[in-house]
Amino acid sequence: MNKTKELSLKGLLIALVTVSTMVIKVPVPATEGYIHLGDSMIYLSSILFGPGVGLIAGGLGSALADLLSGYGHWALPTLIIKGIEGLIIGKIAIRSRGETSVRFKDVIAALLGGGWMVAGYYLGGAILTKSFIAPLSSIPWNIIQAVGGAVIAFPVLFAILKTDLLEI
């Protein structure tokens, strides 16, 4: 892929993660945050286009959503957490050109990336609140976020892989 296409793809995926994070928000009072569709787009970006794209789209897209949604105090932790989430998923799910099926390692990648996200937000919450107790309430909600993202991403991934959309 040439540099122009790569830059365009990254920009579009950053926007997709941002918008999907912001469009549907289910507030979670226990965490002062919200459940959203953004993780599904991080899974798709990382599995389809690899760790570099996952890192950029996940980190920048999610941090931008925090900034635009009034969660600016979470923007830096989110940049790191979601960027690493995309990187983990992309590294595990690295795909050969022309592969057209969802693989077991894609599921493992989503589980490990989602697991990192849960742990990362726990640690981020511990740093922000200066307590290892307070962010414990975020764990179940972040697990729901990670699993929900996978439940949305995998049928979409299956459908995309059955088309010729990736022949850029």
Side-chain angles (χ1 to χ4, degrees):
M1 181 180 310
N2 69 41
K3 292 290 184 187
T4 303
K5 284 184 179 179
E6 184 179 345
L7 184 61
S8 298
L9 177 67
K10 287 177 181 174
L12 287 170
L13 292 173
I14 290 167
L16 185 61
V17 170
T18 303
V19 170
S20 63
T21 300
M22 295 177 67
V23 167
I24 298 174
K25 292 190 229 180
V26 179
V28 179
T31 65
E32 297 179 10
Y34 55 94
I35 294 176
H36 54 80
L37 301 175
D39 282 277
S40 62
M41 297 305 120
I42 295 171
Y43 295 158
L44 287 171
S45 299
S46 303
I47 292 170
L48 292 173
F49 301 107
V53 173
L55 172 75
I56 299 295
L60 290 177
S62 299
L64 188 56
D66 277 352
L67 288 171
L68 295 171
S69 298
Y71 293 89
H73 60 291
W74 275 102
L76 181 58
T78 292
L79 175 72
I80 295 164
I81 295 163
K82 297 290 189 164
I84 293 173
E85 178 184 11
L87 181 69
I88 289 169
I89 294 166
K91 283 278 192 189
I92 295 169
I94 201 85
R95 170 173 300 282
S96 298
R97 193 153 180 78
E99 284 189 273
T100 60
S101 62
V102 175
R103 302 149 314 154
F104 182 68
K105 69 180 181 176
D106 297 333
V107 175
I108 296 300
L111 288 172
L112 292 176
W116 156 254
M117 184 268 293
V118 172
Y121 275 113
Y122 170 76
L123 292 172
I127 291 167
L128 288 175
T129 62
K130 297 178 177 62
S131 167
F132 284 101
I133 303 299
L136 286 173
S137 65
S138 72
I139 292 173
W141 297 102
N142 284 326
I143 290 171
I144 291 169
Q145 173 72 39
V147 172
V151 166
I152 292 166
F154 278 96
V156 175
L157 177 64
F158 180 80
I160 288 172
L161 290 172
K162 294 300 175 195
T163 70
D164 61 355
L165 289 174
L166 298 178
E167 300 302 320
I168 300 171

